């Protein structure tokens, strides 16, 4: 609130707290923890696949997408470790997308686009300008990122506090004011997590107006 001197008093109370629960596969995936998944997990997944054709179709699509990559990777080469980790990620992401309610076609579109763009950018890296606007045409990278991260959040276990402040922020932005949010930490996935949360609370237009400030490593790391 304004002080008597006309400056803004700094409040240390958080305006918005969101505690996203990550999809369970992240804790058990070898590409994250370096630990092997338990045999019981595979058994549970195979049991699901035998019962639910949607999961079976998604798992089959994952194997089809990875088959040419696995086949072209020489055993014992430096590339082999990366490809094995990629395959482990793909297996777990397939299950996560199934649990999020995605169809096989959704999984293929998301992962197919990921593989295509990773390969393209490894050959010719995208150059980011100091101020980068989300690219939504001819391919909608913004929506792709939203779809990708949506599978990784267990929304029923992800509480949000201070949501009423979004209404105040929305009103201020509509009047032409600027609002600066200072996060207590940041990871590469925070923009998608925050904007997904805002969309679910009914502030999709506001979410698209958020400008995220990031260090150079976010745009320059391979």
């Amino acid at each position: 609130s304004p002080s008597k001197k006309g400056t803004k008093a700094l409040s240390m109370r958080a305006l918005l707290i969101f505690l996203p629960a990550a999809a369970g596969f992240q804790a058990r995936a070898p590409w994250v923890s370096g630990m092997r998944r338990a045999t019981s997990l595979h058994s549970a997944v195979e049991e699901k696949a035998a019962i639910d054709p949607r999961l079976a179709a998604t798992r089959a699509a994952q194997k089809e997408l990875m088959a040419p990559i696995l086949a072209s990777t020489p055993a014992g080469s430096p590339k082999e470790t990366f490809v094995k980790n990629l395959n482990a990620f793909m297996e777990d992401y397939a299950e996560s997308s199934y649990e999020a309610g995605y169809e096989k076609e959704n999984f293929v579109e998301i992962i197919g686009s990921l593989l295509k763009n990773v390969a393209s950018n490894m050959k010719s890296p995208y150059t980011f300008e100091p101020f980068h606007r989300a690219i939504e045409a001819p391919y909608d990278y913004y929506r792709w990122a939203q779809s990708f991260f949506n599978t990784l959040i267990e929304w029923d276990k992800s509480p949000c506090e201070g949501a009423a402040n979004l209404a105040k922020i929305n009103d201020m932005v509509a009047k032409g004011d600027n609002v600066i949010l200072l996060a207590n930490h940041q990871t590469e996935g925070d923009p998608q997590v925050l904007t997904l949360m805002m969309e679910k609370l009914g502030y999709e237009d506001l979410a698209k107006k958020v400008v995220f400030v990031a260090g150079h490593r976010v745009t320059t790391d391979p």
Side-chain angles (χ1 to χ4, degrees):
S1 59
S3 68
K4 293 182 180 179
K5 294 183 180 181
T7 59
K8 296 287 185 178
L10 178 64
S11 172
M12 298 303 293
R13 184 176 181 180
L15 293 177
L16 192 65
I17 301 175
F18 182 51
L19 303 174
F25 80 85
Q26 293 197 49
R28 64 177 184 255
W31 51 273
V32 172
S33 65
M35 299 175 62
R36 293 183 180 180
R37 287 167 295 175
T39 303
S40 59
L41 171 63
H42 283 291
S43 299
V45 171
E46 294 305 320
E47 184 178 346
K48 281 184 182 179
I51 296 173
D52 193 333
R54 183 166 62 86
L55 176 58
T58 301
R59 301 280 302 176
Q62 179 271 322
K63 292 179 181 179
E64 183 177 347
L65 285 170
M66 281 301 301
I69 300 175
L70 291 168
S72 64
T73 303
S77 67
K79 183 181 177 182
E80 184 181 26
T81 299
F82 169 77
V83 171
K84 284 184 175 179
N85 286 337
L86 175 63
N87 188 56
F89 161 76
M90 292 267 283
E91 288 179 346
D92 289 319
Y93 192 84
E95 183 184 355
S96 181
S97 66
Y98 159 78
E99 293 174 351
Y102 284 19
E103 299 292 336
K104 178 199 74 173
E105 291 76 15
N106 303 128
F107 170 81
V108 170
E109 197 280 329
I110 292 172
I111 294 299
S113 295
L114 174 65
L115 294 176
K116 177 181 178 182
N117 284 290
V118 167
S120 174
N121 277 275
M122 287 180 70
K123 294 179 181 178
S124 179
Y126 179 83
T127 301
F128 286 90
E129 298 295 331
F131 179 74
H132 172 76
R133 290 187 180 276
I135 299 174
E136 299 181 77
Y139 184 80
D140 195 339
Y141 289 96
Y142 178 88
R143 187 51 52 193
W144 175 87
Q146 299 296 86
S147 299
F148 180 89
F149 276 92
N150 186 54
T151 68
L152 307 181
I153 302 174
E154 296 181 326
W155 290 103
D156 59 334
K157 300 178 182 178
S158 303
C160 177
E161 300 177 12
N165 288 312
L166 284 175
K168 299 177 183 178
I169 293 173
N170 194 46
D171 288 341
M172 294 177 70
V173 171
K175 294 175 182 177
D177 292 325
N178 293 317
V179 177
I180 299 176
L181 301 176
L182 301 178
N184 67 334
H185 75 94
Q186 184 175 13
T187 64
E188 282 80 351
D190 282 358
Q192 285 71 43
V193 172
L194 177 64
T195 51
L196 279 168
M197 178 204 69
M198 294 173 71
E199 286 181 4
K200 287 188 176 292
L201 292 173
Y203 294 97
E204 182 173 355
D205 290 342
L206 180 63
K208 286 193 172 186
K209 295 176 182 177
V210 179
V211 176
F212 294 90
V213 179
H216 68 280
R217 287 183 58 189
V218 174
T219 57
T220 58
D221 270 6

